[in-house]
Every structure is written in C-alpha cells, then in structure tokens.
Amino acid sequence: SAGAGGGGCPASGNDLQWCFSQVKGAIDEDVAEADIISTVEFNYSGDLLATGDKGGRVVIFQREQENKSHPHSRGEYNVYSTFQSHEPEFDYLKSLEIEEKINKIRWLPQQNAAHFLLSTNDKTIKLWKISERDKRAEGYNLKDEDGRLRDPFRITALRVPILKPMDLMVEASPRRIFANAHTYHINSISVNSDHETYLSADDLRINLWHLEITDRSFNIVDIKPANMEELTEVITAAEFHPHQCNVFVYSSSKGTIRLCDMRSSALCDRHSKFFEEPEDPSSRSFFSEIISSISDVKFSHSGRYMMTRDYLSVKVWDLNMESRPVETHQVHEYLRSKLCSLYENDCIFDKFECCWNGPDSAIMTGSYNNFFRMFDRNTRRDVTLEASRENSKPRASLKPRRVCPGGKRKKDEISVDSLDFNKKILHTAWHPNDNIIAVAATNNLYIFQDKVN
C-alpha cells in the first residue's frame, strides 16, 4: 500500500506509485559542509525549483518543455542559474561570525518576464532578480567593438546601435538588500498575499517589510522579556495566510501557535487565536518540552488549515478550532524510546520542515536514514519512502520502507538500531500543481514523480 494520493490527478483515489525521476549533486563519501542543501522551494508555477546551501549559493532548476514525440514524459529539471547569494561576514561589535548559509528562499509571484526571489541567511535578506538576455546591442558611438572608449574628437558620424541575437544568458542581480533589522537569527521569511510586503522572523521578533523599502521595517511582534533570564520560549517559524493579507501565524518552542490579525493593532503581541494541544500528564518526561517545540508551520493552499511539525509528529489544525488538532500523524514514533541517545548526539534539536500537496489532500515531511513520510488525509494511509541512489534508475518505483521498533524483524523491515541519524531529510517541497516532489538529502537533490505521468 504505497500511497499519498494526490487529489486532482489521474491517480486520485487510487494509491499513488512514486518513481525516481532525477538526482542532482555529486556522489561523495565525505561531503563538504558548504554543499549541504539548507532550503528547497518551488516557484508559484512549479516551473522553477530553487535550492540554497550552507555555502551561500542559490541554484535554480528549470523544468524543460514537454517533449512532443513523448507527450507522456514529464519535463526534467535542469540547472537554469547558479549564483552566490550570501558571503560570510563578521560582526565586529559582537565579535560574531555570520554564516553565509541560506536559511530560507521565498519566490515572489511572477509579474513579468523576470523572476524574483527573497533569500536570507541569519541576518540579511536579499531580493534577487533572475532575467534572461538573448540579444545584445552592437555599434556604439562612444566606444569601439572591444569596449574601449573612443576619442570624442574622432567621432564624426552618428551610429544607431542594432540588437543582434546572442546565446541565452541568465543573469541574477541583487535588487534590494534588507539588513540590520534582526538582533537574533532569522528563521523565516514569508511573502504576503498583497505581493507588496513580507515578514521576517527571528527568535524573539517579527518584522514587516515593504518590498520597495530597505531602510526601515515595522516590528509587529516582540516577545523579548525585559529581563532575559525570564525568557521561556522563542519564535521558531512564522507565515502569512495565503489569502488574507492581515493574518499571519507564528509557532513557538513551547509547541504553541499564535494567529495574529494586523487590523486589530499595529503591534501584534496580543494574539487573536491561540492553538495548543493539552499535554497528556501520563506521558510527560524530561524530553517533553524539547520534542514539543514546533520546527515548521505551513498554511494549506485553501487557507482553511495549517500544519505544524514537531519532533515526532505532524499535526493539522482547523483555523476555527484552537483546542486541539484535527489530525495527528506520527512521523517516527519508534524513536520515542531512543530520545536519550538522540539528545546526546543533538539530533533531538533537528528542525524538520513539512509541506502540502497542491490540493491539500496529502502532506509530506522528512525523517532519518534519508527516509521521508507521506500521509494521505482522505484514506488515512501513510507511506515511508527513501531517497537513495540504490534505486535511482529512471522511472524506478520507490518501494515502501518499514522500520521495526524492536523484537523480531520481518525480512523487508529495517531495525530502528541500524538507522543512520547523519542522513536526514529536513527540507522537502511539493510542486504546486503536479505530483512532483523535491527532497534534499545532505548535498543531493532528489526529484520524484508519480507513475501515472
């Protein structure tokens, strides 16, 4: 029973068979830290896919046009543009190194032929323009063909430059730099549905920016206590509602989510709604607070639900019900007995992301051993799949994997003790319309698609 069914596709209602499409990245036993992928994001049409890495680079893949002779073969993603988005910096006032690692990438809705995206490291957000050039001007008045300036006294005739075709060039240029607004590390950026503003969140504050204005932002949430020793929680993620430009949510390290309405007051320290699941006292342990911290929050495309990821589970909340989630999906419940060793090797602090498919009928999130999980919200079925080069033949079906929590192991199961905790899928993305998913496994980007197409 493989299957996260994707609504609105030919396989809807049946179980979806996922198959291998592509893998990007070098096969290296010892991976350079700079090459580790730190964020993955499809644009609004799904024709572009961006990744950011710990070395500050952004790589954009473009989906090829479908082949007329093979109408059923889906376009592959090929490298479209690569550029250095952030450089390592040094904060001399605090004697702190600021990593170049890209924390998040968010695309802006396309308004013209060019594409725009926001990328951020811990401190600085940049707006990049990605545009194509396939013509160049020839026949300048003031300079020669090799670019040297001509002596003005030797210019006797007026030449009209003409545009000549040239090889396609994709240029990435920084249009805006939004800096110096965050004391703590930026964990989220989210573009508003008004397409004019966006928010950025760090551990204690959320700022609202206008895309055209770089020298000021509005602080809309500030949870910093007067005395830092009284600090009990931090902001872990924040996102704008997909349709209501006045509504956003942010999650906390205490496992709570606050929904805020910017119409009610300029400073949204008082939330409109507060989502929290009451804790079961019988299962309380030393690790309860750590594993309840929310690492990601995402609105559904419809705007009716939101999904939160904590260490062991994914929860789906109805925005109209604050008391408890409407769905709880266990991601890797078999790790509950291993929390002690996961605490010792720091894995318990890993921040897993989660994503919705286009019709909001299925959700996906990552796990260890290069496993990732899909949950079908209609059939309540779930599947564990693996991103590995072993079955990376084109169109090869992904076999569902099963983990045996202990005791006797069936032949196709993997023992929980043999999982590799260094291989983790933290970043995943789902194409906005099709059953195409992108999964970042260390320095490799895997692309899978459903069998039907």
Side-chain angles (χ1 to χ4, degrees):
S1 70
C9 65
S12 185
N14 311 333
D15 280 340
L16 214 62
Q17 275 285 321
W18 288 94
C19 61
F20 174 84
S21 175
Q22 293 168 271
V23 59
K24 308 280 186 188
I27 314 174
D28 284 336
E29 280 311 303
D30 46 334
V31 178
E33 183 82 2
D35 295 335
I36 296 175
I37 298 172
S38 52
T39 184
V40 184
E41 191 79 9
F42 280 102
N43 74 339
Y44 282 75
S45 67
D47 290 336
L48 297 179
L49 170 62
T51 64
D53 65 24
K54 289 191 172 181
R57 289 180 300 263
V58 172
V59 181
I60 299 174
F61 301 92
Q62 184 183 45
R63 191 174 173 183
E64 298 298 321
Q65 294 302 308
E66 291 193 11
N67 198 329
K68 290 283 183 286
S69 54
H70 305 286
H72 290 297
S73 80
R74 275 242 204 99
E76 289 212 326
Y77 284 86
N78 291 319
V79 174
Y80 178 63
S81 174
T82 304
F83 57 93
Q84 187 73 29
S85 172
H86 286 69
E87 305 277 355
E89 293 172 56
F90 193 78
D91 182 338
Y92 290 98
L93 286 174
K94 298 199 182 74
S95 293
L96 273 181
E97 282 187 59
I98 300 164
E99 288 184 301
E100 64 272 39
K101 173 191 166 206
I102 309 289
N103 291 344
K104 284 285 185 293
I105 289 173
R106 289 289 178 263
W107 290 90
L108 272 58
Q110 193 175 358
Q111 313 278 1
N112 52 31
H115 297 275
F116 289 86
L117 62 81
L118 290 167
S119 66
T120 184
N121 67 350
D122 284 341
K123 296 288 180 192
T124 305
I125 305 154
K126 296 187 182 182
L127 174 67
W128 289 89
K129 177 185 182 180
I130 296 97
S131 51
E132 294 183 357
R133 273 232 315 251
D134 59 357
K135 292 186 178 64
R136 62 160 191 240
E138 268 189 17
Y140 289 103
N141 286 295
L142 302 178
K143 50 187 181 184
D144 291 321
E145 297 310 324
D146 60 3
R148 280 186 307 201
L149 283 173
R150 295 166 65 190
D151 179 1
F153 295 107
R154 291 193 11 248
I155 302 171
T156 55
L158 189 65
R159 288 195 291 179
V160 179
I162 50 171
L163 288 175
K164 290 206 169 163
M166 61 177 235
D167 288 343
L168 178 70
M169 243 175 65
V170 181
E171 292 180 314
S173 50
R175 300 311 297 264
R176 309 254 186 289
I177 295 177
F178 306 88
N180 306 324
H182 284 278
T183 312
Y184 307 97
H185 292 177
I186 299 171
N187 56 46
S188 308
I189 45 177
S190 176
V191 180
N192 198 346
S193 58
D194 64 10
H195 306 339
E196 287 186 3
T197 56
Y198 73 92
L199 64 75
S200 58
D202 66 24
D203 293 342
L204 298 179
R205 298 191 179 100
I206 301 175
N207 292 334
L208 179 70
W209 299 83
H210 193 286
L211 283 160
E212 301 290 330
I213 302 168
T214 56
D215 58 355
R216 66 173 183 271
S217 62
F218 295 98
N219 177 231
I220 51 175
V221 171
D222 187 349
I223 64 166
K224 186 181 179 195
N227 176 5
M228 280 296 269
E229 284 170 12
E230 291 166 10
L231 184 69
T232 57
E233 63 179 334
V234 293
I235 297 167
T236 55
E239 190 180 52
F240 266 121
H241 190 281
H243 315 304
Q244 298 168 10
C245 62
N246 51 294
V247 172
F248 67 95
V249 293
Y250 67 93
S251 57
S252 89
S253 56
K254 278 196 160 171
T256 61
I257 309 104
R258 292 169 174 84
L259 182 138
C260 303
D261 188 336
M262 293 191 292
R263 290 179 307 191
S264 56
S265 72
L267 191 62
C268 300
D269 287 353
R270 287 210 303 276
H271 48 267
S272 308
K273 293 189 175 183
F274 183 75
F275 299 85
E276 181 178 31
E277 186 167 33
E279 193 189 17
D280 176 8
S282 64
S283 64
R284 179 149 184 84
S285 75
F286 168 73
F287 303 110
S288 294
E289 191 155 308
I290 302 173
I291 63 171
S292 68
S293 175
I294 292 172
S295 54
D296 196 18
V297 57
K298 291 265 176 36
F299 278 107
S300 64
H301 296 87
S302 68
R304 164 94 193 258
Y305 299 98
M306 64 178 173
M307 159 170 60
T308 58
R309 170 73 210 255
D310 55 45
Y311 190 63
L312 294 178
S313 66
V314 174
K315 292 171 182 165
V316 176
W317 303 77
D318 187 320
L319 290 192
N320 301 322
M321 187 167 90
E322 300 165 60
S323 54
R324 63 176 191 277
V326 287
E327 297 165 31
T328 300
H329 303 280
Q330 300 302 335
V331 177
H332 35 220
E333 187 60 21
Y334 47 79
L335 294 183
R336 200 176 279 278
S337 60
K338 295 262 173 281
L339 293 177
C340 210
S341 53
L342 290 163
Y343 178 75
E344 283 165 8
N345 65 14
D346 273 357
C347 283
I348 201 165
F349 302 107
D350 284 335
K351 293 177 168 50
F352 291 95
E353 294 168 10
C354 51
C355 61
W356 299 85
N357 70 343
D360 299 332
S361 60
I363 54 186
M364 169 170 64
T365 190
S367 179
Y368 292 103
N369 210 63
N370 278 1
F371 289 168
F372 58 99
R373 301 269 286 138
M374 291 183 169
F375 304 93
D376 186 312
R377 299 182 56 216
N378 302 325
T379 63
R380 289 307 171 110
R381 289 220 184 125
D382 61 85
V383 65
T384 302
L385 300 171
E386 181 182 8
S388 80
R389 288 187 181 260
E390 266 63 271
N391 53 358
S392 57
K393 293 179 195 67
R395 319 293 298 157
S397 285
L398 300 189
K399 285 201 290 290
R401 310 304 304 259
R402 286 185 183 78
V403 177
C404 155
K408 275 183 77 66
R409 186 164 66 90
K410 299 198 187 86
K411 69 170 172 42
D412 60 343
E413 287 185 335
I414 299 126
S415 154
V416 68
D417 294 317
S418 59
L419 295 176
D420 186 342
F421 290 106
N422 292 318
K423 293 181 173 173
K424 50 192 95 169
I425 303 238
L426 303 174
H427 315 286
T428 58
W430 204 312
H431 189 289
N433 310 312
D434 299 332
N435 281 316
I436 301 176
I437 54 174
V439 170
T442 319
N443 63 324
N444 290 311
L445 179 72
Y446 288 84
I447 298 173
F448 304 108
Q449 58 185 44
D450 61 2
K451 200 76 174 168
V452 177
N453 290 276

